[in-house]
């Protein structure tokens, strides 16, 4: 009972703090980044109704969401990839999965509560529970939560419209090093070829000692080579490296441990910005 009273009081405080403010822009796609593990809400490439939504580190259009106003401060959250809506599926129990639906009802109505640091809390209008994560790892399930923690906070990040003159002609080599002296973009995976008999993978790094490999499980003794590539960080404030030519590129590291986390044979260059984001690089594991 005390917890419910505290939750209600917190909700009232948040509501009063946002009166008269515009929380979300109309007709804008957003990524929703979790305040705990920095993962983003996504459909994980699943276009089936009823599919459970996840939180993962790297997302495409399946991690783009539009807030469609329904009046009275309520929204439906539309997924760019599946064209479906975020929904509680009528569940009102803590820990129940949040899914996507093509027949949105009352369980697909959400209220946005803005926090002072710019993050938001998303509350289901039917269950009064909040959008949260089931765990801290990538691809963890999206659930309804009542716990007050960073797991229920989200940073809305506008998806910038990219203008690419080569897109209409079907040219996928935009940003390749062959067009001038610029290194290829880390998002242009077609520009990177395994040259050491290894496997191409994505590495998520932060600081000088945090690294996570997406989709691959490196073994002790294997090497990780960082291709020459340029990044386009969404937040450059306090950035500790040159995103056009990161110093980690062209370096090779040896895996010394994989559990409980990956440990390399030497520190990576310190990579951070003011908000402690992670950074994605294309690597070869061999």
């Amino acid at each position: 009972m005390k917890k419910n009273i505290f939750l209600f009081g917190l909700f009232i405080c948040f509501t009063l703090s946002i009166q008269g403010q515009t929380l979300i822009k109309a007709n804008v796609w957003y990524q929703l980044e979790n305040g705990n593990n920095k993962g983003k809400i996504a459909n994980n490439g699943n276009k089936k109704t009823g599919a459970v939504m996840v939180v993962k580190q790297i997302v495409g259009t399946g991690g783009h969401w539009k807030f469609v106003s329904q009046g009275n401060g309520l929204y439906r959250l539309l997924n760019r990839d599946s064209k479906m809506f975020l929904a509680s599926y009528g569940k009102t129990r803590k820990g129940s999965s949040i899914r996507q639906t093509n027949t949105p009802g009352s369980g697909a109505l959400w209220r946005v509560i803005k926090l002072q640091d710019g993050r938001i809390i998303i509350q289901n209008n039917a269950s009064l529970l909040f959008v949260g994560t089931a765990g801290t790892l990538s691809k963890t399930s999206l659930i309804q939560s009542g716990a007050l923690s960073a797991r229920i906070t989200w940073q809305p990040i506008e998806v910038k419209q990219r203008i690419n003159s080569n897109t209409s002609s079907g040219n996928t080599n935009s940003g390749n090093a062959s067009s001038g002296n610029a290194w290829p973009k880390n998002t242009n995976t077609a520009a990177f070829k395994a040259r050491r008999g290894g496997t191409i993978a994505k590495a998520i790094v932060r600081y000088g000692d945090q690294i996570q490999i997406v989709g691959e499980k490196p073994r002790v003794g294997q090497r990780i080579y960082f291709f020459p590539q340029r990044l386009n960080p969404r937040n450059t404030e306090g950035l500790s490296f040159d995103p056009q030519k990161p110093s980690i590129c062209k370096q090779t590291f040896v895996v010394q441990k994989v559990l409980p986390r990956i440990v390399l044979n030497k520190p990576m260059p310190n990579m951070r910005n003011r908000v402690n984001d992670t950074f994605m690089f294309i690597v070869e594991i061999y």
Side-chain angles (χ1 to χ4, degrees):
M1 176 64 71
K2 289 182 178 179
K3 185 176 181 181
N4 289 336
I5 293 173
F6 178 65
L7 278 170
F8 179 74
L10 185 67
F11 171 74
I12 293 297
C13 289
F14 286 154
T15 304
L16 291 175
S17 70
I18 63 173
Q19 286 183 349
Q21 297 183 25
T22 301
L23 298 181
I24 297 296
K25 296 179 183 178
N27 298 317
V28 171
W29 295 105
Y30 289 91
Q31 291 181 349
L32 297 172
E33 182 182 82
N34 186 255
N36 180 58
N37 66 3
K38 303 301 182 183
K40 301 169 183 68
I41 301 176
N43 71 344
N44 207 25
N46 198 324
K47 298 185 180 181
K48 294 182 179 179
T49 186
V52 176
M53 300 295 95
V54 301
V55 176
K56 53 190 295 190
Q57 298 293 333
I58 299 175
V59 298
T61 55
H64 295 177
W65 299 89
K66 183 181 290 186
F67 290 77
V68 183
S69 177
Q70 303 298 300
N72 296 319
L74 298 175
Y75 296 87
R76 297 199 194 282
L77 271 69
L78 174 67
N79 185 270
R80 191 172 194 171
D81 181 53
S82 67
K83 306 297 189 295
M84 296 188 195
F85 298 90
L86 205 66
S88 66
Y89 254 63
K91 304 295 183 181
T92 57
R93 176 174 46 86
K94 294 178 183 178
S96 57
S97 298
I98 295 177
R99 305 169 184 268
Q100 62 183 5
T101 180
N102 57 4
T103 56
S106 59
L109 288 174
W110 305 89
R111 188 177 303 279
V112 177
I113 303 168
K114 185 177 181 182
L115 304 181
Q116 290 184 346
D117 60 2
R119 290 180 295 170
I120 61 174
I121 293 176
I122 305 172
Q123 183 185 42
N124 188 267
N125 192 53
S127 68
L128 300 182
L129 296 174
F130 305 105
V131 175
T133 65
T136 59
L137 300 177
S138 185
K139 295 187 180 179
T140 188
S141 297
L142 197 68
I143 63 169
Q144 294 193 91
S145 175
L148 294 177
S149 73
R151 290 190 185 184
I152 68 168
T153 65
W154 304 92
Q155 180 68 51
I157 302 168
E158 285 190 39
V159 177
K160 303 299 183 182
Q161 192 73 19
R162 293 185 177 181
I163 301 175
N164 187 344
S165 59
N166 294 317
T167 301
S168 59
S169 62
N171 186 348
T172 60
N173 291 322
S174 173
N176 203 324
S178 61
S179 58
N181 297 321
W183 285 353
K185 295 179 180 179
N186 64 332
T187 53
N188 182 19
T189 53
F192 304 94
K193 306 296 181 184
R195 302 185 183 278
R196 298 161 181 78
T199 302
I200 301 296
K202 294 178 180 178
I204 309 298
V205 302
R206 180 164 55 182
Y207 309 138
D209 60 350
Q210 294 185 17
I211 179 169
Q212 178 183 8
I213 304 299
V214 179
E216 296 289 334
K217 294 182 178 180
R219 302 185 303 275
V220 172
Q222 283 191 308
R223 287 168 167 75
I224 301 176
Y225 172 73
F226 284 75
F227 288 100
Q229 57 202 283
R230 52 196 169 102
L231 279 61
N232 184 27
R234 62 174 176 270
N235 191 326
T236 58
E237 186 177 0
L239 196 65
S240 65
F241 63 94
D242 179 2
Q244 297 303 307
K245 286 193 174 183
S247 59
I248 196 172
C249 295
K250 299 185 181 180
Q251 290 199 46
T252 301
F253 300 82
V254 181
V255 179
Q256 291 190 326
K257 289 176 61 177
V258 294
L259 292 174
R261 63 183 182 88
I262 297 175
V263 176
L264 304 176
N265 66 319
K266 58 183 179 181
M268 298 180 294
N270 186 31
M271 285 169 289
R272 64 181 301 274
N273 61 7
R274 190 64 56 80
V275 295
N276 299 320
D277 281 331
T278 56
F279 305 97
M280 189 274 285
F281 289 87
I282 304 299
V283 299
E284 181 177 357
I285 302 175
Y286 64 101

